[in-house]
Amino acid sequence: MGWRLMVRHLTLMEYADEARSSFNEVRMTPATGVLSSRIVVQPAAHIYTYQDYWGTTVSAFDVSHPHRSLSVEAVSRVETNGPRRPRFVAGTPDPSMSELLGCTPATSVSDELAELATVQASGRDPHEGAEAICAVVAARVAYMPGSTGVRTSGQEAWDQGKGVCQDMAHLTVGMLRAAGLPARYVSGYLHPKPDAEIGEPVEGQSHAWVEYWAGEWLPLDPTNGSPVGEAHVVVARGRDYSDVPPLKGVYQGPRESRQEITVTVTRLRG
C-alpha cells in the first residue's frame, strides 16, 4: 500500500551583484505516480520541457535580462508504492546496459574494493549479492552531513569512512558494477518521518539511492539500510550524480553567489 505525498522543492540563488543572464536545467519532476506537477521560476521565464537520454523530465529555461536573484519552485503531488518483493529472472544483461556496468570518476573503485565486491556476490543470487554489498557500504561509511562535497567520489567516502547519501550511492553503484551487476544512481526525495500526521508538512530531504538489474530494476537504499518504498519519490536516474542534478546552469555575472534549498514533504493520504 502506498502513500500520497506533496513535495515542495524551493531553490533560491542570490548574486553579489546583477547577473546579466542565466541558462538553467531543472530535474525536479517526479518520474512515476505523478498526479500533478508544476515549476515556477522567478524572474518569470518560458520553460521548455523534454526527456533526457536517461528518461528524466528536464525543464529548461533562460533569463536573458539582468537579475539579482533566481528562484525555482517545484511542487508535485505523487502516489508512491510500498516495497517491492524481488523475483529472480535468469539471463545476462542486455548489451545496451554497458553504460551501467562501466566506471565513472564518481563510481570508480580500487582493485581491492572491486575484489571485495566480487567476494560478497560470489555464490549468491543477484539479490543476496546486492544486499551484501549494500550492507558492507552501510557498515563502513558513517552518514555525516557536511563531511564531503559534490565532487567526492565513492572511493574517497570509503577511504575516510564517512559521507552522505550521494557518496553511499556512488560507492554502492561502483561495487555492484564491479561484481558484474548493472547499476544506476537514483535521485529523488525522502519523507523522513513515518509517524507524521496526515497533512503535516515536514522538512524533507533530497535523497539518493541505487537500483540494480536482476531481470528487472530493483532498488536499495544504502544510507538508511531500509527497503525503498512509500517514503521514497523517484525523480531521476543515471550513471551517477552528474546525470541527475536538481538544478544545473551557468550565468554571466559576479563570481560570488549564495544558494538556499528547502524541501518540504507532506503526507496527504495513506
Side-chain angles (χ1 to χ4, degrees):
M1 187 67 179
W3 291 356
R4 179 171 292 182
L5 299 172
M6 181 172 69
V7 181
R8 178 177 179 266
H9 184 162
L10 176 64
T11 301
L12 175 63
M13 292 286 299
E14 293 183 331
Y15 308 107
D17 201 348
E18 282 189 341
R20 293 183 291 278
S21 61
S22 64
F23 306 87
N24 307 274
E25 292 180 353
V26 177
R27 289 171 173 82
M28 298 181 189
T29 301
T32 59
V34 181
L35 301 174
S36 66
S37 184
R38 72 176 189 272
I39 292 177
V40 178
V41 176
Q42 292 292 338
H46 174 73
I47 299 175
Y48 169 66
T49 301
Y50 66 95
Q51 302 288 315
D52 72 9
Y53 177 81
W54 303 103
T56 301
T57 298
V58 181
S59 300
F61 66 92
D62 63 86
V63 180
S64 56
H65 53 83
H67 53 288
R68 286 185 172 272
S69 65
L70 173 69
S71 72
V72 179
E73 182 183 45
V75 180
S76 302
R77 291 189 308 125
V78 298
E79 288 188 340
T80 61
N81 297 312
R84 294 177 59 188
R85 184 181 298 276
R87 60 186 180 89
F88 177 67
V89 181
T92 57
D94 187 279
S96 65
M97 293 185 185
S98 60
E99 290 175 290
L100 299 173
L101 276 167
C103 295
T104 68
T107 62
S108 180
V109 296
S110 66
D111 292 343
E112 292 79 8
L113 206 48
E115 182 178 357
L116 175 60
T118 301
V119 168
Q120 293 300 312
S122 179
R124 294 178 163 129
D125 70 35
H127 309 305
E128 294 171 341
E131 289 174 356
I133 288 171
C134 191
V136 166
V137 170
R140 166 69 180 185
V141 182
Y143 178 74
M144 190 174 297
S147 60
T148 56
V150 173
R151 293 180 176 82
T152 301
S153 70
Q155 179 69 52
E156 289 170 326
W158 174 272
D159 291 341
Q160 65 184 30
K162 57 187 176 182
V164 295
C165 60
Q166 174 180 300
D167 307 309
M168 295 186 197
H170 280 150
L171 177 58
T172 305
V173 163
M175 293 181 70
L176 288 169
R177 291 174 182 169
L181 287 171
R184 57 191 185 186
Y185 183 101
V186 185
S187 72
Y189 304 108
L190 178 69
H191 188 300
K193 189 178 177 183
D195 59 349
E197 297 289 337
I198 301 297
E200 176 189 351
V202 299
E203 183 179 347
Q205 303 170 8
S206 291
H207 194 48
W209 58 100
V210 307
E211 291 177 346
Y212 66 96
W213 177 260
E216 59 180 333
W217 286 109
L218 293 163
L220 288 171
D221 186 342
T223 302
N224 293 312
S226 60
V228 174
E230 55 274 352
H232 293 73
V233 178
V234 176
V235 171
R237 299 176 172 98
R239 294 163 297 179
D240 58 29
Y241 175 81
S242 67
D243 288 330
V244 302
L247 178 61
K248 179 172 70 173
V250 295
Y251 68 91
Q252 292 180 311
R255 185 181 299 272
E256 293 79 20
S257 64
R258 183 181 73 88
Q259 184 181 76
E260 183 178 323
I261 299 172
T262 304
V263 176
T264 304
V265 185
T266 305
R267 189 173 171 187
L268 303 177
R269 193 184 72 187

